[in-house]
Amino acid sequence: MGIFSGLINGFSIALTPVNLLFAFIGALLGTAVGVLPGLGPAATIALLLPATYAISSPVTAIILMAGIFYGSMYGGSTTSILLNLPGEAASVVTCIDGYKMAQKGRAGAALGIAAIGSFVAGTAGVLGLTLFAPKIAGFALSFGPPEMFSLALVGLLMAVTLSGASVIKGLIMLAMGLLLASVGLDPISGKTRFSFGVIELQSGFDFVTLAMGVFGLGEIFTGLESVMKTEIVTTKVGQVWPTVKDWVDSRMAILRGTLIGFFVGIIPGGGAVISSLVSYALEKKVSKHPEEFGQGAIEGVAGPESANNAASSSSFIPLLTLGIPGNASIAMIFAALLIKGVTPGPFLIQEHPEVFWGVIASMYIGNVMLLVLNLPMVGIWAQLLRVPFGILAPVIILFTAIGSYSIQGQAFDIYSLVGFGLFGYLLRKLKFEPGPLVLAFVLGPMIEGSMRRSLLMSGGSFLIFVTHPISMALIGLFAFLVLGQALVMFRKKPAVQT
Amino acid sequence: MKKTVAVLVAMLLASAMFPVASMAGDAYPSKPITGVVPFGPGGSTDLLARTVEKFWTKYSKEPLVIVNKPGGGGVVGTEGVVRSKPDGYTLYFGYGSGHDVVMPSLQKMPYDPLKDLVPVARLSIHSVVIVTGANSQFHSIKDMVAWAKKEGKPITTAVSVKAGAVDLALTAFGKAAGIKIVTVPFSGGAEATTALAGGHLMIGGGHPCEIMTHIKAGRFRPLAVALPQRDPSLPDVPTLRELGFDVATWGSIKGVAAPVGTPKEVVAYLGGTLKKITEDPGFRKAMADMNMPVMYEGSADFGKFLKQATADYLALIRKLNITIN
Amino acid sequence: MNRTERISAAAVVVFGILVAAYSRHYLKLGFLISPDAGFLPFAVGVALAGLGALWFAASFRSEAVPESGKEGGGAGEADPADAPVPALSRLLPGILLVIAYAWLFERAGYLVSTVLFMVGWQKFVEREGWLKTSVIALLSAAAMYALFVHFLKVDLPTGTWFS
């Protein structure tokens, strides 16, 4: 079956009233649950997964799942922008400028541009998936341990660009993030690190608990410092829609973000987060006003959000063509399909063409639905900021606590959440930026694990990182960026001293 | 003031009454049964448990509800079951996994997996299959051993996790064959499989449910199975014993358990229900689609089997001198 | 810069040394060509100690050059003499309430602990009247139940005290 006839077939399945309805329900449910603080996309999908068991048709079930997936990603962006609560690693970058925009009363513009960027990137991603999926599937497999190491190293460097004014403080945050990531079972030696005999620490900390703690609770504790009653962000909702200038400013950022997200997002295990980092760093680099980044630059929202969403489309490529789930959310969709008796992989298109094309067609529809659903909602979400602090703050705490608890079902994670909240409060007092901390936490296991795996493979030779072409190119990029930055700083230094 | 106190008291009473109300009354089961999977959603144990969940209501009047409690490599969720009330309403799915039969030989456990749990039934065994990429020069175990001996080079091997069932089987094989096997542990089976599919390592090991897609797609070539007998889901693949290497492990066993002290008739009821499910053609087809062989054993046999498997793993670990320091 | 920064920098140095010591003592370091479990934590510990020392040194340098205060945003305002003391009247009860919530969660169950948490928050953090407090507390507990237990079917603890 050709692509064209396949797509026609797919749309004829996806456009039946029942499937259309489930695509809508999925997008709605995903957004509604994903927007709750404390529930990231992975948790949202896990919670809503049982809903798909009741549906007998595998196509309808997967259409519902895809809707939930897209919806939860967008819902996660909403909490990142409005409340500084990233539900997954890839949204951390969105928080930085998105939340600043919300504080300045431009929440509507940030949410609007995120919705439009997500739609453009998501649709372009599905288009790429339709046209090139089998041809570029091999790219996902070309990343072995040495390539992953070099990629994660570049990602870590990008994370430093989020560190704000002080490079030393940024590096301290990176180190802290790497350290927090090493708590728990070391998969390579089987040894448990920094658990001090506490069984709950053996599995390490969860990303959501850490991010909700340092971002969300840290923010609330800081807000509690003032004796006066305060609002959590600002009661200024301002203009709800992005202005023409916003649109012109972010146009290219959306395009670049889409391209980066599509290609980097194919790489299993960390593609999405690295693509959003790369997009942010690139936008900052090409911008005429890089000093606005970190203070509420709309490109800093548009680029990473688009990258993130293009990546969520392209992360379906390894799943649908190779049967490889690239991240936790996709792994759950994989499981839902298996239970329905459908095995995603190279035979999917032959054994179940209706599933393959139905899913792809419903991804196009899902993206449209999300836009239709969310653009009118932007105004309503932005009104959320009008809820008084005295109610919003404890409710956020309750949600994040229950969200953390639900991941592993242990009260210990609520204590961790409080601990990270206090830590986040301390960081704010000392003017540290928590972004690099949580990103290093995500990239840490990738860097450490893939370095040790590479050295096991090479028998201890570091040449493995430069004899593999992709890895060598990435190491070259890393060296170029570091040297370039060092040169800039070297030239600047005398000027500061005078 | 008074009003709030009254409301609070009412709330306290209400939440205290919930369990009481549902417990009173007729014979077991009189309320939904919770099945704890101590691993994350989407893993092989989760898939197995969810498939049982789907067929459960066909044979029992109360539903089975599967919940995931991952953490500590399975220890946290299992400990939760061990510490729960032995009334048959909290079950453990995945009994016989690495943290039940391998981990106790390597480190201190907060409970005794053999003594603190009552086996209900065995559902499946996930064997360890040795595979190589389709582009590999190795077409059989013999090729590989000959190459390693001639070149004197180590064989790099993708395994899911350090000191897990796959790692142990492959390390044992290397020792028996007299070649150097370097096991490269990943963070789980999916990651290891992906790296091997990309041709980044020479061979790899995995459970059929993880690797069968790749075998069928021609991306992996199965070389041997590390079970005492052939795996029903891969009937054409020889065992290592058949190939002349005295290596056999039990892979990862997947059964159901209840906390110790659960009444005998409850265990019998649960075991009977599970037996009926494993005989259901729909269930057998779903399991076959996921490449999980159905290998039912009742409570008593399963108990004996687990003791044997644990002892075998302990002997293997002693023999290979594996420690986690 | 102020004394708080310097104390924190010193704390980072001490923390880094402790991490490095733990990694050396309890974990295997391995070698550069075969790093073991302790390798990365050790390196991170050493790096933290070094970065902390740099931070410490930087705080002296910026004191010598007072102009640097303007580029560091608000950092320059915080002088040891007139450093604003954070008002603990809301912060402290807030933090204690969250800790109490974590402690009560499995013992008293999610419903009772949610009600108590909300009552505590409205009463001790926001200083609201009893009527508003009880309405907010009951409504939020009901919402939690409807959302997490009824709709999302999350397995929340009903409390070990009552069973």
Side-chain angles (χ1 to χ4, degrees), chain C residues 109-163:
Chain C
Y110 74 97
L111 264 185
V112 173
S113 45
T114 299
V115 170
L116 291 179
F117 173 77
M118 283 311 262
V119 166
W121 190 279
Q122 300 308 324
K123 220 50 228 173
F124 301 114
V125 180
E126 299 297 329
R127 315 272 154 88
E128 296 287 358
W130 276 110
L131 181 69
K132 201 173 168 191
T133 297
S134 31
V135 169
I136 293 175
L138 289 182
L139 275 183
S140 31
M144 289 288 145
Y145 170 79
L147 188 70
F148 284 103
V149 179
H150 185 75
F151 177 62
L152 292 174
K153 309 246 182 297
V154 177
D155 189 34
L156 292 179
T158 48
T160 48
W161 284 348
F162 309 120
S163 61

Side-chain angles (χ1 to χ4, degrees), chain A residues 141-149 188 449-465 467-468 471, chain B residues 147 153-159 180-186 191-192 194-196 198-203, chain C residues 33-35:
Chain A
L141 291 180
S142 61
F143 276 71
E147 289 82 5
M148 282 314 281
F149 171 75
I188 296 174
S450 48
M451 177 178 134
R452 286 165 66 190
R453 279 174 204 125
S454 304
L455 290 173
L456 276 172
M457 283 160 62
S458 71
S461 165
F462 278 88
L463 284 176
I464 189 168
F465 297 114
T467 49
H468 287 230
S471 172
Chain B
W147 181 88
K153 281 185 189 159
I155 302 271
T156 55
T157 309
V159 300
K180 190 162 193 276
I181 294 243
V182 176
T183 55
V184 181
F186 284 78
E191 255 189 42
T194 308
L196 183 66
H200 302 285
L201 298 109
M202 294 181 199
I203 63 166
Chain C
I33 56 160
S34 58

Side-chain angles (χ1 to χ4, degrees), chain B residues 145-195:
Chain B
V145 174
W147 181 88
K149 284 198 169 145
K150 190 168 143 251
E151 302 279 324
K153 281 185 189 159
I155 302 271
T156 55
T157 309
V159 300
S160 51
V161 65
K162 177 77 180 177
V166 180
D167 186 20
L168 288 178
L170 277 147
T171 310
F173 164 67
K175 187 153 183 157
I179 59 173
K180 190 162 193 276
I181 294 243
V182 176
T183 55
V184 181
F186 284 78
S187 317
E191 255 189 42
T193 311
T194 308

Side-chain angles (χ1 to χ4, degrees), chain B residues 281-298:
Chain B
F283 178 82
R284 296 190 82 95
K285 181 174 182 301
M287 291 287 281
D289 285 344
M290 296 189 294
N291 300 298
M292 296 186 193
V294 177
M295 298 169 100
Y296 180 85
E297 253 184 12

Side-chain angles (χ1 to χ4, degrees), chain B:
Chain B
M1 177 80 198
K2 253 187 191 159
K3 199 170 110 195
T4 325
V5 173
V7 169
L8 278 180
V9 170
M11 282 301 248
L12 280 163
L13 282 176
S15 43
M17 249 142 73
F18 273 125
V20 179
S22 51
M23 211 116 59
D26 29 42
Y28 178 87
S30 60
K31 60 169 183 174
I33 300 160
T34 305
V36 175
V37 171
F39 305 102
S44 60
T45 311
D46 182 53
L47 288 176
L48 173 62
R50 302 268 177 195
T51 312
V52 173
E53 182 186 28
K54 241 173 69 176
F55 286 89
W56 183 270
T57 30
K58 211 168 153 183
Y59 299 100
S60 176
K61 57 177 175 146
E62 289 292 338
L64 170 74
V65 182
I66 298 295
V67 294
N68 298 90
K69 295 213 167 163
V75 174
V76 173
T78 309
E79 197 190 0
V81 176
V82 167
R83 308 256 176 270
S84 70
K85 225 181 198 179
D87 54 6
Y89 291 103
T90 312
L91 304 179
Y92 159 34
F93 274 72
Y95 191 33
S97 303
H99 67 282
D100 297 316
V101 293
V102 182
M103 218 189 260
S105 309
L106 291 165
Q107 63 189 75
K108 230 182 106 213
M109 303 287 289
Y111 56 89
D112 186 332
L114 287 177
K115 288 194 186 124
D116 293 340
L117 288 160
V118 182
V120 173
R122 186 180 76 182
L123 298 173
S124 182
I125 292 180
H126 297 170
S127 66
V128 176
V129 186
I130 303 176
V131 293
T132 175
N135 302 330
S136 162
Q137 50 176 322
F138 308 140
H139 288 262
S140 65
I141 290 281
K142 228 170 88 189
D143 282 2
M144 182 177 83
V145 174
W147 181 88
K149 284 198 169 145
K150 190 168 143 251
E151 302 279 324
K153 281 185 189 159
I155 302 271
T156 55
T157 309
V159 300
S160 51
V161 65
K162 177 77 180 177
V166 180
D167 186 20
L168 288 178
L170 277 147
T171 310
F173 164 67
K175 187 153 183 157
I179 59 173
K180 190 162 193 276
I181 294 243
V182 176
T183 55
V184 181
F186 284 78
S187 317
E191 255 189 42
T193 311
T194 308
L196 183 66
H200 302 285
L201 298 109
M202 294 181 199
I203 63 166
H207 302 308
C209 49
E210 299 165 342
I211 56 174
M212 197 62 104
T213 327
H214 300 283
I215 292 177
K216 282 185 187 153
R219 221 174 294 125
F220 285 176
R221 201 181 295 132
L223 300 180
V225 176
L227 271 186
Q229 309 99 27
R230 290 196 179 196
D231 185 315
S233 60
L234 282 161
D236 301 332
V237 181
T239 64
L240 282 172
R241 281 214 178 124
E242 285 174 52
L243 295 168
F245 304 98
D246 187 23
V247 178
T249 70
W250 290 109
S252 190
I253 301 149
K254 299 294 165 195
V256 178
V260 75
T262 306
K264 272 212 178 73
E265 50 298 351
V266 169
V267 173
Y269 172 86
L270 292 167
T273 310
L274 286 168
K275 185 163 202 296
K276 280 179 225 155
I277 290 172
T278 53
E279 284 159 0
D280 185 294
F283 178 82
R284 296 190 82 95
K285 181 174 182 301
M287 291 287 281
D289 285 344
M290 296 189 294
N291 300 298
M292 296 186 193
V294 177
M295 298 169 100
Y296 180 85
E297 253 184 12
S299 177
D301 293 339
F302 181 34
K304 264 184 244 153
F305 173 76
L306 267 183
K307 276 204 186 80
Q308 186 58 47
T310 308
D312 287 352
Y313 268 120
L314 179 63
L316 186 66
I317 286 162
R318 291 259 164 85
K319 195 171 129 195
L320 299 174
N321 200 16
I322 291 173
T323 51
I324 293 178
N325 38 36

